Amino acid sequence: MSRVFLGVDGGGTKTAFCLLTADGEVAARLDGPSCYYLTGAEEGLDLVVRVLRDGVSAVCASAGVGQEDVAYAFFGLPAYGEVSGDLPALDAAAGASLGHDRFACGNDTVCAWAGSLGGADGINVVSGTGSITYGERAGTGVRVGGWGETFGDEGSGYWIGIRGLRAFSKMADGRAPEGPLLGVLREELALGTDLDLVDVVLNRWRSDRRRIAALSRAVVTAASRGDAAALGILDSAAAELAALVETTRRRLGFGDDELVPVSWSGGVFSAPQVREPFLARLRESPARYDVREPLVPPVLGAALHAAQLAGTPLAPSALDRLVAGVRASA
């Protein structure tokens, strides 16, 4: 087997691990539990230690290699960089799982960028439960957004869901014209009366961010039925996401005359009512954007980034082989 690179993509629901060869072959791939230690995890940082230790051991065993055989690794960890005092402990957890120091850690958004663009200079915008962008140019990385649902995450599933709930309440009161959104949410949440919405969201769900973010799908459904308020919410989301990209471009130092590769990740972009106006704004911008479909999933992006950091990025033929394999298995 040629040199192998380890990619780890942490998230709120799972942690993905993969081993990628220098030839562009996936030697092993598996999913483990979430390593997000800040919310609802009694173990705290010990959770990260356990998940990384078990996952790295298992993926190496699956490929028939030892941790010492990993040429380089990249660990994309949720919330990395957001609690500065925890960085030494997170780095130590990654190092302990490998048993050597041929690795780097970063935020999980780096995985999405590297996977979507194959490690090329450019920008990736994520819109799932939250929203954020990450871009690189000549080895310099810039992150924009990702400030959390309380005062940020514009254009995200949560942002859309909250605005859908606001629109519902105004329609139910008569403060806004009724639209299809009323019926969609009544059915989605099995409301006996409109005021039962308070019980569902605040009491039963306890304002759970993932459940609220999932309501973005109901907003999309209402928009497809011609609801003006829902269409406005989704168009505003597209504008916010385009603004994240534009800000990232400027901070990376790209000029208006330079072609900037852009890709995306996250479930919100599966809605054409968000994706199409987002792309239209990029096309109408004075800047020049080269919008590309994502190449490979974030966990493979983490392994690609590991190869880059080792100073041995995959050859174009190997990257083509990897992308072809991903598309064939889709």
Side-chain angles (χ1 to χ4, degrees), residues 83-144:
V83 184
S84 57
D86 289 347
L87 294 181
L90 294 172
D91 291 339
S97 72
L98 276 173
H100 58 73
D101 61 0
R102 298 186 302 277
F103 73 92
C105 294
N107 194 271
D108 57 312
T109 57
V110 179
C111 305
W113 158 77
S116 67
L117 293 175
D121 283 359
I123 300 165
N124 183 73
V125 54
V126 180
S127 182
T129 300
S131 66
I132 193 170
T133 58
Y134 180 81
E136 285 203 9
R137 184 187 189 198
T140 296
V142 166
R143 161 186 165 158
V144 175

Side-chain angles (χ1 to χ4, degrees), residues 15-52:
T15 304
F17 301 81
C18 79
L19 284 171
L20 178 66
T21 74
D23 298 325
E25 302 286 348
V26 179
R29 183 173 173 180
L30 60 84
D31 292 338
S34 170
C35 62
Y36 187 56
Y37 68 98
L38 291 177
T39 303
E42 295 181 2
E43 293 176 82
L45 286 163
D46 288 341
L47 172 71
V48 184
V49 174
R50 176 175 59 83
V51 171
L52 296 187

Side-chain angles (χ1 to χ4, degrees), residues 190-229:
L191 301 178
T193 70
D194 289 341
L195 277 174
D196 283 344
L197 182 70
V198 176
D199 179 48
V200 170
V201 176
L202 300 184
N203 300 330
R204 298 185 212 170
W205 291 2
R206 298 186 181 277
S207 300
D208 181 84
R209 68 190 295 262
R210 295 189 179 282
R211 286 183 160 182
I212 291 173
L215 292 178
S216 62
R217 293 192 290 269
V219 177
V220 171
T221 299
S224 69
R225 297 178 186 177
D227 190 288

Side-chain angles (χ1 to χ4, degrees), residues 125 238 241-242 245 262 264 269 274-282:
V125 54
L241 295 170
V245 171
V262 175
W264 65 86
F269 281 105
V274 176
R275 186 179 63 253
E276 294 309 318
F278 165 77
L279 295 176
R281 280 175 168 81
L282 294 189

